Amino acid sequence: MEDGFSSYNSLYDTSSLLQFCNDDSASAASSMEVTDRIASLEQRVQLQEDEIQLLKSALADVVRRLNISEEQYALLNRKGPTKARPLVQTLPLRPTVSNGTVLPKKPCGSLPSPSGTRKEITPPPSKSSGKRTSSTERVPSGGRRDSSGDSKSNRNRTGSTSSSSSSKKNSDSKPKDPIFSAGKRRVTHCKEEGYVKMFLRGRPVTMHMPKDEVESYSLEAKGELPAKKLKLEWVYGYRGRDCRSNLYLLPTGETVYFIASVVVLYNVEEQLQRHYTGHNDDVKCLAVHPDRITIATGQVAGTSKDGKQLPPHVRVWDSVTLNTLHVLGMGFFDRAVTCIAFSKSNGGCNLCAVDDSNDHVLSVWDWQKEEKLADVKCSNEAVFAADFHPTETNNIVTCGKSHLYFWTLEGNSFIKKQGLFEKQEKPKFVLCVTFSENGDTITGDSSGNILVWGKGTSRITYAVQAAHEGGIFALCILRDGTLVSGGGKDRKLISWNGNFQKISEIEVPEQFGPVRTVAEGRGDALLIGTTRNFVLQGSLSGDFCPITQGHTDELWGLAAHPLKAHFLTCGHDKHIMLWDTTTHQPIWNKIIEDPAQSADFHPLGSVVAIGTLAGRWFVLDTETKDLVTVHTDGNEQLSVMRYSPDGNSLAIGSHDNYIYIYGVSENGRKYSRIGKCSGHSSFITHLDWSSNSQYLMSNSGDYEILYWIPSTCKQVVSVDSTRDIEWTTYTCTLGFHVFGVWPEGSDGTDINAVCRSHGKTILCTGDDFGKVHLFTYPCSQFRAPSHAYGGHSSHVTNVKFLHDDRHLISTGGKDMSVMQWRII
């Protein structure tokens, strides 16, 4: 046991910490400036944090080694009386394979530099979508730059402290190995032991290299960009759950809508998609210019990779060339742009927009000059729609929670008139607005009423009471003057003539969900967007056909079929969907009882295993989607399901820190539990099998890399036994062959998924910044270069190569999108 602590003691010399603690230069009696004293105190705190981190690591090592010794002792007792052995002899020999908590004998390198920011040791188990600006006041762009600049200067100051501290230690250490410092991360190379070590949140992650690379490996070598690139080929999904008026038909025959940060232009007849990818975060609204070619889209605020704010703004672009024409409102809008519309009577010269600030500011822009003409506080409540009057250039109507306002723009100021409901009961929400041919304003509200407001007035001239049961989410005037209303609760589409007499009524099938938006298609066809993220094509006579569909809740599970161009997705919406990458349509969709988190196909492709958030896992027949079997292991999230290459075993990684091992027979239809692997001190994040199905590699939430013999559920503690193992897949985010994917300054949770191509030449990652990266494999050089691709707005939760390496699939978490990339 003393040997274990001595290794930590030799690695981490506390002399510099004692020097700081005994130094009174930061006290009130010191002659130093206040800022210098603060900087000195920050240095002390950071050094103390590193001391605590390593002490905790040492303690975790001691506890695990004691557990191993107790298991061995119990095993010996079961075998019968044997000659007593000292406790220390029963402990595993060093160095062991577990990364962060068992350290090598020889000190090779130097101290980890103090981390740039103070964070908990164990990362959060799941991602949050809290990457949006949440300020309560509009902040000018200069103010935001100043704010980010302050935080950057703080990081730089801490970083300089780290480098000075580490340089002092380097001069004292004997072997001078290559060291790269990266703020929160530090990488060292020990050639004698044949490993690379990096620190994530202060924890050491030791990764041993294959024997044949020990002599030739150099940490200073530069990685190369991959020869292959990605091209976005198809986007699955539609954002109808919480967005309105985001579905239109263009003269080109393309249907335009958005999901994540991509605007999709989908030609249904030719089965082709084009994509506008100018946005860097969630698109929230869309408007088509009267010329039917120019399009405006507004987005939310985001956060860049280095923590800087990405301000919300409006982009005006050409739907033919997909070129960005103008960018409006950088530094003006707050939180998000939620409503936009082009003017109609003056050739579409103006554009109005409403942001998501507390005051929901309404602004009007000359978009061609990129000049703001006027702005006004619209409402303290949510605003759902804003639109220009079709004949009065300076008139705008806005509606939302508890309000309907008629605005007149005079010069650079607005005159507001509030809609007077008078004898009509005021609804809780005015949900949508459109205009009749004679210039009357028509609104639909949460009470199910259609109200007509006389042109130029703020008074009701006609009312259709209880037109729908529940709220009216959409209104659309067709070319022939017919009004179509779409209901939420009743899911009905009702057509009305010029006198607001009902012409026809049809109900949208329940599985598609409530109507969110209605747009006119070709001929008598209608396009309907629903709150369950379907885009339907149909008519008032019925026969609705989904042309686009997707998930409706956070999406994590992704598996690629081992033999066909199919992939499977599963999410927290409890939906399991098998997709065909050729037709871009689901082959089948099944709803299970629990939110789904993970999935994997049996090597024969006959069945697929689904892990859930509740500890249950299901096996489904791939052809019929029938349930084959269901089991329960614990009551926590099952983060990863992984079949062995020979198909005879299934490993399940759980948030209860265990890996459950099952024997598999009858081509994946029969399962018998072998046991569970116990040794991780945090939740399991990733698993990979060896090519011979004899070994298992695992990663956990506290950055451990452990190795197992699944047939006995025993941990492998010998480095020589594991360093040359060939892995059939590489999805673990920590390991010698992939550590180069970690970006500078990473906190250890930024990369959610890694996947190596079947040809073992390229490596793909999905990160918290909505990016898909493509690296050369192996990726074992610090700061390896990559090709980066946007499209997702939320964290990218999973990536998978298809069986022939021709395509890559990526999934977004909160954005619920699935993207298909062609490898070129």
Side-chain angles (χ1 to χ4, degrees):
M1 192 63 66
E2 292 177 358
D3 176 58
F5 286 114
S6 64
S7 291
Y8 284 95
N9 202 29
S10 63
L11 177 81
Y12 192 85
D13 183 4
T14 59
S15 59
S16 61
L17 177 62
L18 292 174
Q19 177 185 352
F20 273 114
C21 293
N22 294 328
D23 183 11
D24 64 348
S25 61
S27 65
S30 171
S31 60
M32 295 172 62
E33 294 292 332
V34 173
T35 55
D36 293 333
R37 293 207 302 271
I38 292 173
S40 178
L41 288 171
E42 285 179 349
Q43 294 176 25
R44 297 187 193 184
V45 169
Q46 297 296 343
L47 285 172
Q48 289 169 353
E49 283 185 346
D50 283 339
E51 174 82 358
I52 292 170
Q53 299 276 31
L54 287 178
L55 287 174
K56 287 183 177 180
S57 297
L59 181 59
D61 178 36
V62 170
V63 171
R64 185 173 62 252
R65 295 170 70 198
L66 283 174
N67 287 338
I68 293 173
S69 68
E70 289 174 358
E71 290 176 3
Q72 293 177 348
Y73 184 70
L75 183 63
L76 291 173
N77 284 344
R78 285 198 296 270
K79 291 181 179 179
T82 58
K83 185 177 180 181
R85 292 189 298 166
L87 174 64
V88 174
Q89 292 182 14
T90 67
L91 297 179
L93 297 176
R94 306 171 68 87
T96 67
V97 185
S98 63
N99 60 2
T101 52
V102 183
L103 301 175
K105 291 180 179 180
K106 298 181 181 180
C108 300
S110 64
L111 295 178
S113 60
S115 58
T117 55
R118 301 176 62 181
K119 296 195 176 183
E120 306 254 344
I121 299 172
T122 304
S126 63
K127 306 295 171 194
S128 71
S129 59
K131 297 186 178 182
R132 306 285 181 263
T133 307
S134 58
S135 60
T136 57
E137 298 178 3
R138 187 181 312 118
V139 181
S141 59
R144 293 185 179 183
R145 282 194 291 270
D146 292 343
S147 174
S148 62
D150 291 342
S151 61
K152 184 176 181 181
S153 65
N154 289 339
R155 290 196 298 271
N156 289 341
R157 183 172 62 198
T158 307
S160 63
T161 302
S162 310
S163 59
S164 63
S165 172
S166 60
S167 62
K168 182 188 293 184
K169 289 294 162 192
N170 287 341
S171 62
D172 297 335
S173 58
K174 295 177 182 177
K176 295 196 174 183
D177 296 307
I179 299 167
F180 289 97
S181 178
K184 300 176 191 175
R185 192 176 69 145
R186 187 184 183 85
V187 180
T188 63
H189 171 212
C190 183
K191 189 171 183 178
E192 289 83 355
E193 297 289 344
Y195 67 77
V196 170
K197 182 186 297 181
M198 74 175 178
F199 289 82
L200 292 172
R201 284 191 179 176
R203 288 190 72 112
V205 183
T206 303
M207 296 161 287
H208 291 84
M209 62 190 70
K211 289 180 181 177
D212 58 3
E213 294 188 40
V214 171
E215 293 299 323
S216 61
Y217 179 78
S218 171
L219 191 61
E220 297 150 312
K222 299 296 182 182
E224 295 183 357
L225 280 169
K228 300 290 187 179
K229 293 184 179 181
L230 299 180
K231 180 176 177 58
L232 184 59
E233 183 175 88
W234 204 266
V235 178
Y236 301 84
Y238 158 73
R239 185 164 183 167
R241 187 173 57 115
D242 59 350
C243 291
R244 296 167 167 80
S245 302
N246 61 349
L247 183 64
Y248 298 94
L249 180 70
L250 301 179
T252 57
E254 295 171 309
T255 302
V256 59
Y257 56 90
F258 57 76
I259 183 171
S261 65
V262 178
V263 186
V264 181
L265 297 94
Y266 178 22
N267 190 314
V268 179
E269 292 181 358
E270 298 181 9
Q271 281 295 296
L272 293 174
Q273 278 189 358
R274 296 189 299 138
H275 309 100
Y276 176 73
T277 55
H279 289 279
N280 52 36
D281 216 304
D282 277 305
V283 180
K284 285 293 295 263
C285 52
L286 183 152
V288 178
H289 192 273
D291 66 11
R292 311 296 293 168
I293 295 174
T294 306
I295 293 178
T297 43
Q299 73 162 68
V300 304
T303 304
S304 67
K305 184 177 177 180
D306 53 2
K308 294 181 180 178
Q309 286 187 338
L310 302 173
H313 60 272
V314 173
R315 305 182 80 86
V316 182
W317 49 280
D318 188 306
S319 64
V320 176
T321 64
L322 301 181
N323 291 331
T324 301
L325 304 176
H326 302 280
V327 179
L328 311 177
M330 284 284 194
F332 174 77
F333 299 116
D334 194 13
R335 295 181 184 160
V337 182
T338 56
C339 307
I340 51 174
F342 284 102
S343 59
K344 302 173 179 65
S345 60
N346 65 347
C349 291
N350 295 344
L351 181 141
C352 71
V354 179
D355 72 6
D356 198 29
S357 61
N358 287 354
D359 293 322
H360 298 93
V361 174
L362 168 66
S363 55
V364 176
W365 303 75
D366 183 329
W367 59 269
Q368 291 170 312
K369 296 180 180 178
E370 300 183 7
E371 293 180 358
K372 180 168 61 69
L373 303 179
D375 66 274
V376 66
K377 294 179 180 180
C378 183
S379 172
N380 290 329
E381 303 288 358
V383 178
F384 297 146
D387 202 359
F388 280 94
H389 192 276
T391 58
E392 302 295 332
T393 302
N394 294 327
N395 288 2
I396 298 172
V397 179
T398 63
C399 65
K401 183 177 180 181
S402 304
H403 79 271
L404 173 69
Y405 294 142
F406 298 87
W407 306 87
T408 302
L409 177 62
E410 293 189 356
N412 60 353
S413 61
F414 284 95
I415 297 174
K416 179 176 76 172
K417 290 183 181 179
Q418 185 167 344
L420 302 176
F421 290 89
E422 298 177 322
K423 296 179 181 179
Q424 185 76 27
E425 181 182 353
K426 186 175 182 180
K428 188 174 182 181
F429 299 96
V430 181
L431 298 170
C432 52
V433 61
T434 190
F435 301 94
S436 67
E437 290 179 317
N438 63 5
D440 290 344
T441 301
I442 306 172
T443 61
D445 58 45
S446 55
S447 301
N449 303 325
I450 295 176
L451 303 180
V452 183
W453 308 75
K455 179 180 178 181
T457 73
S458 58
R459 295 179 181 275
I460 298 171
T461 59
Y462 191 82
V464 182
Q465 302 282 358
H468 286 265
E469 180 186 350
I472 300 173
F473 283 179
L475 292 171
C476 177
I477 293 286
L478 304 183
R479 284 182 289 267
D480 61 4
T482 302
L483 173 69
V484 178
S485 58
K489 182 179 179 182
D490 63 8
R491 305 189 313 280
K492 289 180 179 179
L493 285 173
I494 303 177
S495 61
W496 311 82
N497 63 19
N499 296 320
F500 299 99
Q501 303 301 310
K502 185 184 296 186
I503 301 174
S504 65
E505 175 182 313
I506 189 167
E507 185 175 316
V508 175
E510 195 276 334
Q511 72 263 26
F512 299 137
V515 176
R516 173 62 79 192
T517 188
V518 179
E520 192 167 19
R522 284 186 171 177
D524 62 350
L526 291 177
L527 296 171
I528 301 102
T530 76
T531 60
R532 291 188 183 172
N533 296 344
F534 282 88
V535 175
L536 307 175
Q537 193 171 46
S539 67
L540 291 171
S541 60
D543 301 326
F544 295 102
C545 173
I547 61 174
T548 296
Q549 57 185 292
H551 287 271
T552 58
D553 204 346
E554 193 163 351
L555 182 58
W556 283 84
L558 174 65
H561 195 286
L563 306 173
K564 300 178 182 179
H566 298 168
F567 67 91
L568 181 138
T569 58
C570 56
H572 294 180
D573 58 2
K574 305 179 184 178
H575 280 259
I576 315 298
M577 304 179 76
L578 181 66
W579 302 86
D580 187 324
T581 59
T582 305
T583 64
H584 308 116
Q585 295 296 326
I587 300 170
W588 52 253
N589 180 12
K590 186 180 181 69
I591 302 175
I592 60 175
E593 299 173 14
D594 301 316
Q597 179 71 19
S598 55
D600 194 36
F601 281 98
H602 187 274
L604 297 178
S606 55
V607 297
V608 61
I610 312 293
T612 71
L613 294 181
R616 285 207 296 177
W617 54 276
F618 302 81
V619 178
L620 305 178
D621 186 289
T622 307
E623 296 295 327
T624 66
K625 71 177 180 181
D626 293 337
L627 180 65
V628 175
T629 186
V630 58
H631 293 264
T632 302
D633 286 296
N635 57 6
E636 296 192 45
Q637 171 180 312
L638 302 181
S639 300
V640 54
M641 313 287 288
R642 192 75 68 225
Y643 281 100
S644 61
D646 61 11
N648 295 328
S649 302
L650 173 66
I652 304 168
S654 172
H655 260 230
D656 62 10
N657 303 359
Y658 295 119
I659 303 170
Y660 297 93
I661 306 295
Y662 278 79
V664 182
S665 57
E666 299 179 11
N667 294 331
R669 297 187 171 273
K670 188 174 181 180
Y671 295 79
S672 57
R673 182 164 161 177
I674 294 174
K676 62 182 180 182
C677 300
S678 171
H680 276 292
S681 52
S682 186
F683 54 89
I684 312 302
T685 58
H686 303 87
L687 295 172
D688 285 303
W689 284 89
S690 63
S691 298
N692 60 7
S693 301
Q694 300 300 308
Y695 294 93
L696 192 66
M697 173 169 55
S698 59
N699 287 176
S700 63
D702 58 353
Y703 324 123
E704 282 186 320
I705 308 171
L706 298 185
Y707 300 87
W708 312 87
I709 299 176
S711 58
T712 60
C713 297
K714 295 298 181 184
Q715 183 182 341
V716 181
V717 295
S718 168
V719 171
D720 291 333
S721 300
T722 58
R723 69 193 316 160
D724 290 315
I725 293 177
E726 182 179 341
W727 302 101
T728 191
T729 59
Y730 219 118
T731 62
C732 286
T733 58
L734 297 173
F736 173 74
H737 293 97
V738 299
F739 83 89
V741 305
W742 287 90
E744 186 170 348
S746 174
D747 68 353
T749 66
D750 294 334
I751 295 179
N752 302 310
V754 165
C755 186
R756 182 188 65 190
S757 65
H758 298 86
K760 302 181 181 180
T761 57
I762 50 178
L763 189 74
C764 186
T765 67
D767 64 27
D768 272 1
F769 310 104
K771 292 291 188 290
V772 174
H773 287 262
L774 199 64
F775 295 86
T776 298
Y777 180 87
C779 187
S780 50
Q781 300 299 145
F782 179 53
R783 287 186 233 174
S786 68
H787 299 303
Y789 302 91
H792 291 286
S793 56
S794 173
H795 42 283
V796 181
T797 53
N798 219 328
V799 289
K800 283 287 187 295
F801 287 96
L802 295 189
H803 74 290
D804 56 3
D805 283 345
R806 293 182 180 178
H807 289 90
L808 175 85
I809 308 297
S810 60
T811 57
K814 294 290 187 181
D815 68 30
M816 298 166 284
S817 65
V818 180
M819 298 191 185
Q820 179 176 317
W821 309 80
R822 189 170 76 251
I823 299 171
I824 56 177

